[in-house]
């Protein structure tokens, strides 16, 4: 039995003309052939590699080596300085200060000890203190070695918090030197830890220093020159070049944190007593889950000044309307369903709306309406029964839907476009039963397959066995349908473009007899042994 093979008129072959000099620009996208597209790509490749021809070997580095080198450049670590603007007061009798995380005195960056560098994050460069426990509360000269003895990498700039000027110390003979600080972490801290306030954890400390009288090393700042002073400091951070802020090269320092700011609804309420908006802006409370709870006998009030209506929650958990003259109303004007409260107290509706043997009319305002029954509900009319909803949808539900996986109910329609589509498909005023019958007919399909048994010239009649046969089987009768719209013809699995007749100059058009399934093609068909052409016809609505 013959297999189905694609047989294009001509196989795709190599380019006839190789051109790598096409001008750049949008014209590279207007090529009309595969050869033109390939030449456009060759031209762009030639520009990228920068050689004489697109196929030349690279005389410089390959793109892979450039990528490696670029990654190395981006990963180069750079030191920058960060100003922390929280005021720090040095204790009396001390020339060091243990930084409080709770008081926003410690860097927000994680700890980077020594030559540590984590590509994933910027770090504060610190020295690891040798003291532990209570001994951490002491001055130390522990440094991270830098360019020289006067520039360790964990050296911080210190300024007076009020004036912004350097704090100075007298080294003798009236020579004044600026005071600095060494940023240090407790010896139990590890690379990548966040600073904390835990003794024996990851606490941070400033040990205040100055340049010695010989000008060749750092020494501890005398207690008298720093105790009681309120200062700010700027520490050193390490980060990869690609992660630095754009203003790092300006020579200044950027701000870590100024103070602790905790903006919450509770804080706003506590500070302002009431929450209000201006300009008529709404305050919306959205609960993703859980309840809106009023505790402690409080009330939720709606209104203004003295004319306030409130829902009060009493000790038993019940909710009551608490306001003289207040009302709950459904509807408007004179057609309200209302509960009027002339004096303080509760009002309840203990029964629904019930109809007896007399006629019953149901009406609803904005609150909607429902009809419930313990028995069947029958709609009987001598004339039409009309279901209409001018402001919503009509949907259907029953007892079986709840136990199913369908979350329903089923709407009659979900958009105006569906009504228009229904009219376009079945006609204005079509009944549901008529539409169902039409849809059933339209979705019916018949499929036929025939193998070419003799070579057929272009525009010659292709027909099945029993006539001037050049197929091994007859194709289907398509005389009752529209050939262009309702018949799909495939040759070797490739869908053809239908034409009404030969003048359309499309792939296929009706042959001599539509009832016999005859076809004519704009190209020749072959019966090559082992791989003859195969025709597949699908008729819709037959």
């Amino acid at each position: 039995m013959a297999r189905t093979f694609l047989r294009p008129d001509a196989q795709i072959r190599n380019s006839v003309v190789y051109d790598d000099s096409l001008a750049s620009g949008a014209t590279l996208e207007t090529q009309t052939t595969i050869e033109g597209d390939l030449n456009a790509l060759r031209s762009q490749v030639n520009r990228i590699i920068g050689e004489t021809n697109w196929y030349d070997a690279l005389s410089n580095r390959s793109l892979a080596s450039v990528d490696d080198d670029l990654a190395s450049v981006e990963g180069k670590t750079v030191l920058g300085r960060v100003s922390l603007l929280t005021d720090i007061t040095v204790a009396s009798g001390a020339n060091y200060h243990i930084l409080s995380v709770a008081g926003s005195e410690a860097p927000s960056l994680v700890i980077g000890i020594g030559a540590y560098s984590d590509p994933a994050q910027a770090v504060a460069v610190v020295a690891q203190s040798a003291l532990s426990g209570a001994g951490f509360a002491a001055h130390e000269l522990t440094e991270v070695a830098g360019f020289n003895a006067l520039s360790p990498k964990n050296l911080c700039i210190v300024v007076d918090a009020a004036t912004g000027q350097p704090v100075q110390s007298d080294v003798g003979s009236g020579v004044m030197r600026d005071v600095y600080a060494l940023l240090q972490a407790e010896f139990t801290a590890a690379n990548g830890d966040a600073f904390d306030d835990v003794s024996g954890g990851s606490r941070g400390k400033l040990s205040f220093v100055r340049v010695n009288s010989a000008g060749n090393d750092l020494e501890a700042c005398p207690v008298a020159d720093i105790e009681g002073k309120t200062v700010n400091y700027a520490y050193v951070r390490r980060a990869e070049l690609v992660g630095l802020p754009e203003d790092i090269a300006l020579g200044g320092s950027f701000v870590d944190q100024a103070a602790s700011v905790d903006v919450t609804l509770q804080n706003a309420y506590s500070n302002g007593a009431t929450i209000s908006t201006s300009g008529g802006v709404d305050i919306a409370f959205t609960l993703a889950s859980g309840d809106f709870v009023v505790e402690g006998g409080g009330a939720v009030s709606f209104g203004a000044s003295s004319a306030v209506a409130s829902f009060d929650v009493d000790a038993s958990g019940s909710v009551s309307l608490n306001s003289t003259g207040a009302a709950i109303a459904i509807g408007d004007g004179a057609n309200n369903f209302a509960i009027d409260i002339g004096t303080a107290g509760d009002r309840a509706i203990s029964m629904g709306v019930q109809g007896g043997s007399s006629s019953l009319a149901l009406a609803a305002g904005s609150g909607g309406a429902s009809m419930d029954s313990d028995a069947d509900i029958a709609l009987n009319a001598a004339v039409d029964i009309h279901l209409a909803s001018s402001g919503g949808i009509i949907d259907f539900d029953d007892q079986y839907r709840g136990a199913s996986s369908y979350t329903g109910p089923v709407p009659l329609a979900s958009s105006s476009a569906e009504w228009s589509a229904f009219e376009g498909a079945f006609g204005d005023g079509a009944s549901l039963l008529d539409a169902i019958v039409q849809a059933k007919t339209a979705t019916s399909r018949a499929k036929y397959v025939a193998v070419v048994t003799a070579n057929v010239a272009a525009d010659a009649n292709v027909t099945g066995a029993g006539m001037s046969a050049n197929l091994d089987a007859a194709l289907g009768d398509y005389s009752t349908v529209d050939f262009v719209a309702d018949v799909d013809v495939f040759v070797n699995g490739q869908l053809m473009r239908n034409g009404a007749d030969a003048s359309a100059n499309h792939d296929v058009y009706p042959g001599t007899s539509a009832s016999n399934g005859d076809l004519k093609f704009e190209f020749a068909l072959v019966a090559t042994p082992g791989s003859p052409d195969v025709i597949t016809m699908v008729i819709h609505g037959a």
Side-chain angles (χ1 to χ4, degrees):
M1 192 168 181
R3 289 181 56 195
T4 297
F5 293 97
L6 285 177
R7 187 181 57 80
D9 290 335
Q11 298 291 334
I12 298 176
R13 55 172 293 154
N14 60 293
S15 300
V16 176
V17 177
Y18 292 85
D19 186 355
D20 61 2
S21 60
L22 298 181
S24 60
T27 54
L28 294 181
E29 291 188 346
T30 61
Q31 305 299 314
T32 58
T33 64
I34 289 293
E35 180 180 272
D37 279 342
L38 293 175
N39 284 335
L41 294 174
R42 294 183 184 105
S43 300
Q44 289 300 89
V45 168
N46 197 24
R47 293 185 182 90
I48 292 171
I49 67 175
E51 303 295 341
T52 302
N53 301 297
W54 70 278
Y55 51 80
D56 289 339
L58 296 180
S59 58
N60 295 307
R61 289 177 293 179
S62 68
L63 291 179
S65 64
V66 171
D67 178 68
D68 290 340
D69 293 342
L70 180 59
S72 297
V73 171
E74 291 177 338
K76 174 66 177 176
T77 56
V78 180
L79 299 180
R81 197 169 291 281
V82 183
S83 291
L84 199 149
L85 303 182
T86 300
D87 292 349
I88 294 173
T89 300
V90 183
S92 176
N95 59 354
Y96 67 91
H97 180 81
I98 297 178
L99 300 170
S100 168
V101 173
S104 302
E105 296 178 348
S108 62
L109 300 180
V110 299
I111 296 170
I113 295 174
Y116 171 77
S117 177
D118 185 347
Q121 57 192 0
V123 297
V125 179
V126 303
Q128 195 171 42
S129 169
L131 299 177
S132 63
F136 187 64
H139 186 283
E140 296 181 271
L141 285 173
T142 309
E143 302 175 351
V144 178
F147 182 72
N148 55 49
L150 299 180
S151 301
K153 293 179 181 178
N154 64 324
L155 189 67
C156 302
I157 294 174
V158 176
V159 297
D160 184 276
T163 66
Q165 298 300 310
V167 178
Q168 293 195 317
S169 175
D170 188 349
V171 298
S173 302
V175 178
M176 305 299 291
R177 297 280 172 83
D178 291 348
V179 175
Y180 301 93
L182 296 172
L183 179 59
Q184 298 156 343
E186 203 162 359
F187 88 103
T188 47
N191 289 329
D193 283 352
F195 287 96
D196 61 33
D197 293 327
V198 180
S199 177
S202 301
R203 290 185 296 174
K205 177 177 66 177
L206 296 178
S207 291
F208 296 96
V209 296
R210 68 182 184 183
V211 178
N212 63 16
S213 59
N216 60 6
D217 204 354
L218 297 176
E219 64 182 11
C221 175
V223 171
D225 291 342
I226 193 63
E227 65 176 341
K229 287 185 167 50
T230 301
V231 299
N232 300 140
Y233 71 98
Y235 63 90
V236 175
R237 63 168 282 178
R238 178 188 290 117
E240 290 186 349
L241 187 64
V242 69
L244 290 179
E246 64 178 356
D247 58 355
I248 191 66
L250 296 179
S253 56
F254 49 97
V255 176
D256 182 338
Q257 53 190 339
S260 176
V261 179
D262 183 13
V263 180
T264 66
L265 184 61
Q266 179 61 51
N267 285 346
Y269 178 78
S270 298
N271 292 332
T274 60
I275 302 174
S276 62
T277 62
S278 60
V281 179
D282 295 338
I283 298 177
F285 294 90
T286 302
L287 303 177
S289 62
D291 302 321
F292 185 92
V293 179
V294 179
E295 297 179 345
V300 179
S301 300
F302 303 89
S305 63
S306 60
V308 175
S310 66
F311 292 102
D312 288 348
V313 182
D314 62 24
S316 65
S318 65
V319 179
S320 61
L321 188 64
N322 182 13
S323 178
T324 301
I328 299 175
I330 302 176
D332 55 24
N335 298 315
N336 284 342
F337 167 75
I339 301 174
D340 295 315
I341 302 177
T343 59
D346 298 335
R347 295 294 184 271
I349 302 175
S350 59
M351 296 292 291
V353 178
Q354 183 175 359
S357 58
S358 60
S359 298
L360 173 64
L362 297 181
S366 61
S370 66
M371 180 185 296
D372 300 319
S373 175
D374 293 331
D376 295 344
I377 295 178
L379 297 178
N380 300 305
V383 290
D384 297 341
I385 295 176
H386 182 66
L387 298 179
S389 176
S390 61
I393 62 174
I394 297 174
D395 57 34
F396 303 91
D397 201 355
D398 66 13
Q399 63 173 335
Y400 303 111
R401 198 265 309 162
S404 72
S405 60
Y406 187 82
T407 59
V410 179
L412 177 63
S414 58
S415 69
S416 299
E418 293 181 4
W419 280 95
S420 298
F422 185 85
E423 185 273 335
F426 304 110
D428 197 5
S431 71
L432 287 178
L433 291 181
D434 180 43
I436 292 171
V437 172
Q438 289 189 52
K440 172 62 172 64
T441 302
T443 56
S444 63
R445 58 189 293 274
K447 179 180 178 181
Y448 304 88
V449 179
V451 178
V452 175
T453 57
N455 292 345
V456 183
D459 298 304
N461 194 51
V462 179
T463 188
M467 301 182 69
S468 56
N470 41 33
L471 297 177
D472 69 346
L475 298 174
D477 178 1
Y478 57 86
S479 61
T480 60
V481 299
D482 186 326
F483 177 78
V484 174
D486 300 324
V487 180
D488 293 334
V489 178
F490 299 81
V491 175
N492 300 332
Q494 185 169 338
L495 180 63
M496 300 290 101
R497 184 183 183 189
N498 294 13
D501 50 41
S503 64
N505 290 322
H506 293 169
D507 298 325
V508 62
Y509 57 96
T512 303
S513 172
S515 60
N516 289 328
D518 293 356
L519 300 173
K520 291 185 179 181
F521 293 86
E522 293 276 347
F523 54 90
L525 299 178
V526 297
T528 305
S531 58
D533 287 337
V534 178
I535 299 174
T536 301
M537 175 187 285
V538 178
I539 304 174
H540 300 274

